[in-house]
């Protein structure tokens, strides 16, 4: 499929992917579709019809993600015309002054998060993608070969010691922070004004190592290209109350993610029951 999609015109390949995603919508259980629409209505204060359209558009985005991942061998050479990074200077300035230390890049499941990692790598940012190990060994091998092929280094959630070592070596740890986690691994914050569990990895890592967090979010342009926006660095305070320091930053990151979703609601992964 990758060989074929790399040889199709981009617009035709994307249309094929969206067709697959459109068909997939009907295989999603009615219960899950209903729950997704209810979450959208509660979060965005929209009517049922609008919420359903947003839910469908969110599913269609998976077709875009699939095709762009399969086209990584082509995009590797054309990345700068496909993804424009706004605020890249925040990362570049930090690299010049950090004395060889890395940092944390925080993002969400919006637009094409797989492409975001490849874009950073191709723009010269040494990025570590933190992956969840797939149950299928074949699927795990497939996605990680494509990730490393476009320039990312991949580690798993369990590789915390490796992440700390890579930070000291100048790498940037990419963390996608907007999925629910077990109560042992997160803190309760407000997300769309609803209490939800939020992973603390970025705040904990930043506080422990004294490195900045760069919030970064990507959205798709009408012509099919993308704009990746990097925000100025954030630093976690180091007071005597470690839990409060981590909570405060985690709430701030949750709010930034929420603000981005309000701007581009159809590009977020609403199928995941965040609450």
């Amino acid at each position: 499929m990758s060989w074929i999609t790399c040889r199709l015109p981009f617009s035709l390949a994307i249309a094929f992917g969206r067709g697959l995603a459109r068909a997939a919508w009907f295989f999603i259980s009615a219960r899950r579709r209903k729950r997704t629409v209810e979450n959208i209505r509660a979060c965005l204060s929209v009517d049922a019809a609008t919420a359903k359209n947003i839910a469908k558009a969110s599913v269609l985005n998976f077709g875009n993600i699939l095709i762009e991942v399969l086209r990584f061998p082509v995009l590797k050479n054309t990345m700068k015309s496909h993804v424009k990074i706004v605020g890249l200077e925040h990362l570049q300035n930090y690299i010049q002054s950090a004395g060889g230390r890395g940092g944390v890049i925080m993002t969400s499941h919006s637009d094409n998060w797989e492409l975001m990692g490849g874009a950073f790598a191709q723009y010269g940012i040494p990025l570590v993608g933190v992956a969840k190990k797939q149950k299928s060994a074949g699927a795990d091998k497939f996605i990680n070969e494509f990730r490393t092929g476009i320039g990312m280094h991949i580690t798993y959630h369990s590789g915390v010691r490796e992440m700390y070592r890579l930070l000291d070596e100048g790498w940037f740890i990419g963390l996608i922070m907007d999925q629910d986690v077990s109560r042992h691994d997160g803190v309760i914050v407000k997300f769309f004004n609803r209490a939800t569990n939020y992973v603390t990895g970025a705040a904990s890592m930043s506080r422990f190592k004294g490195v900045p967090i760069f919030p970064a979010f990507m959205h798709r342009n009408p012509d099919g290209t993308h704009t990746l926006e990097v925000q100025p660095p954030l630093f976690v305070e180091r007071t005597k109350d470690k839990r409060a320091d981590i909570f405060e930053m985690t709430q701030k990151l949750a709010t930034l993610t929420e603000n981005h979703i309000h701007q581009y609601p159809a590009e977020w992964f609403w199928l995941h029951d965040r609450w």
Side-chain angles (χ1 to χ4, degrees), residues 42-67:
C43 292
L44 303 180
S45 301
V46 296
D47 57 44
T50 301
K52 187 175 181 179
N53 288 336
I54 291 172
K56 283 185 175 180
S58 177
V59 171
L60 288 181
N61 188 48
F62 279 90
N64 300 330
I65 294 171
L66 171 64
I67 294 302

Side-chain angles (χ1 to χ4, degrees), residues 91-113:
L91 289 165
Q92 293 171 330
N93 292 340
Y94 170 72
I95 290 172
Q96 292 174 3
S97 62
R101 303 192 74 204
V104 177
I105 295 176
M106 182 285 297
T107 190
S108 68
H109 287 89
S110 290
D111 191 11
N112 190 339
W113 52 91

Side-chain angles (χ1 to χ4, degrees), residues 53-87:
N53 288 336
I54 291 172
K56 283 185 175 180
S58 177
V59 171
L60 288 181
N61 188 48
F62 279 90
N64 300 330
I65 294 171
L66 171 64
I67 294 302
E68 286 178 324
V69 169
L70 292 175
R71 287 176 62 87
F72 271 7
V74 172
L75 288 174
K76 183 176 181 179
N77 301 317
T78 61
M79 187 64 75
K80 292 185 179 180
S81 63
H82 193 64
V83 179
K84 178 185 178 182
I85 301 184
V86 176

Side-chain angles (χ1 to χ4, degrees), residues 158-224:
S158 57
V160 177
R161 288 185 180 179
E162 182 187 11
M163 292 183 219
Y164 286 152
R165 175 179 60 80
L166 290 168
L167 277 172
D168 289 336
E169 294 175 2
W171 290 82
F172 286 80
I173 311 298
L175 297 177
I176 303 177
M177 294 187 52
D178 56 349
Q179 282 198 321
D180 201 359
V181 292
S182 72
R183 290 291 290 269
H184 317 290
D185 300 324
V187 294
I188 303 298
V189 300
K190 286 293 184 72
F191 189 54
F192 286 97
N193 207 34
R194 301 164 73 185
T196 187
N197 202 33
Y198 221 88
V199 66
T200 60
S204 298
M205 195 174 295
S206 173
R207 189 183 187 279
F208 181 72
K209 298 296 290 185
V211 298
I213 302 169
F214 294 87
F217 302 100
M218 190 161 74
H219 66 269
R220 185 178 296 272
N221 301 315
D223 63 357

